Each structure stands twice: as structure tokens, then as C-alpha cells.
Amino acid sequence: MSENKKRSDCPVSQSLDIWGDKWSLLIVRDLMFAGQCTYGDFQKSEEKIASNILASRLQMLEDNGIIIKGSHPESKVKFLYKLTAKGIDLLPLMIEINMWAEKYCDISSERKELLQEVKKDKEVFIVRLSKKLKSLM
């Protein structure tokens, strides 16, 4: 894991140093809800991340133990990215961000459906998705 220079002892500040820019959380989002992704999968997202930014964020997330890069079963030139246990532990935070956005932003009908499932029993949803993501590790 890389050495982060912490700005303070504040846990919010230290956490944001690891995953707090918008691109890192979007990468985590894609992995969380797709399970695993290739570099090309990330580039296809509607946010249109630049390749140099994507490479930098993937490396930073890997250095900090949020994701791992593994070989692709069908191609020697591709890699699969997956969340680690540390990355999966961001799931409750990502759920809360989605719930906040549902209240204050226009979100897709697909995401609204997901949040309806979450609202039925948030803890069960988190446990179920966490288990699914851990099975991919």
C-alpha cells in the first residue's frame, strides 16, 4: 500500500485522500454493481473518463488496497479489476450516497428500482451484495 501523506487526523479527510475524488468513486460504483470490469468497461461509462485519469485512479485504488487487478480468463492482454474486502466495505457508503441522490437529484429508473430493493431491508441487501462481491474475489 502506498504511503499517503495525511493532511490531518480527521477520519473524513484521511478517507477522502484514498477514495474521495469523483473518478475513484465512479470506478468503485462500476465494480460494486457490475462485479468486475476491464479497462475498456470503465471507458464505456457515460461519464467518459480520460484514459490517463483512469489509469492513474486504478493504480491509486490498487495501491491503497481498494481494488485488485487480475488476469483475464479470455485474453492475455486484458485485466479484470475487482473490489477487495476493503473496497466491498464501501458498500454501505455507496448505498447512502445513492439514497441521498434519489432525494435530491434526478436518477435513472434502473437506480430507482435498485433503491426500492434496498429500502425493503437495507441490511439484508448489503449482506447479500457483499457476499456476491466476495465470491468474485
Side-chain angles (χ1 to χ4, degrees):
M1 184 162 79
S2 68
E3 282 296 316
N4 284 329
K5 293 183 179 181
K6 62 181 182 176
R7 292 176 282 183
S8 72
D9 290 329
C10 171
V12 173
S13 176
Q14 290 181 50
S15 298
L16 289 173
D17 287 340
I18 297 171
W19 48 258
D21 69 277
K22 72 176 180 178
W23 296 116
S24 294
L25 279 180
L26 292 174
I27 290 167
V28 169
R29 174 209 61 194
D30 289 350
L31 289 170
M32 202 158 275
F33 297 107
Q36 54 191 8
C37 296
T38 64
Y39 192 91
D41 293 332
F42 294 120
Q43 288 197 304
K44 291 176 190 171
S45 73
E46 65 182 295
E47 291 87 11
K48 306 291 183 208
I49 186 170
S51 61
N52 62 324
I53 301 290
L54 176 57
S56 170
R57 295 315 185 274
L58 288 170
Q59 186 63 57
M60 187 273 305
L61 289 168
E62 187 176 13
D63 289 347
N64 283 283
I66 304 295
I67 66 171
I68 54 171
K69 177 172 76 171
S71 58
H72 193 287
E74 299 168 9
S75 174
K76 292 184 180 188
V77 297
K78 290 183 180 181
F79 295 97
L80 277 179
Y81 294 90
K82 302 175 188 179
L83 292 169
T84 63
K86 187 175 177 180
I88 293 168
D89 283 345
L90 290 168
L91 179 57
L93 172 73
M94 296 296 282
I95 294 297
E96 292 302 324
I97 290 171
N98 276 270
M99 291 178 74
W100 182 90
E102 181 187 36
K103 186 174 180 179
Y104 296 106
C105 305
D106 291 327
I107 63 172
S108 70
S109 58
E110 178 183 287
R111 193 51 51 107
K112 285 180 184 180
E113 286 178 30
L114 176 82
L115 291 172
Q116 289 306 312
E117 187 68 26
V118 168
K119 289 175 186 176
K120 290 177 187 174
D121 192 331
K122 189 186 325 182
E123 293 306 314
V124 168
F125 180 88
I126 290 170
V127 168
R128 189 176 68 236
L129 185 52
S130 292
K131 283 182 182 178
K132 178 182 173 186
L133 292 168
K134 286 177 182 176
S135 75
L136 298 173
M137 292 172 49

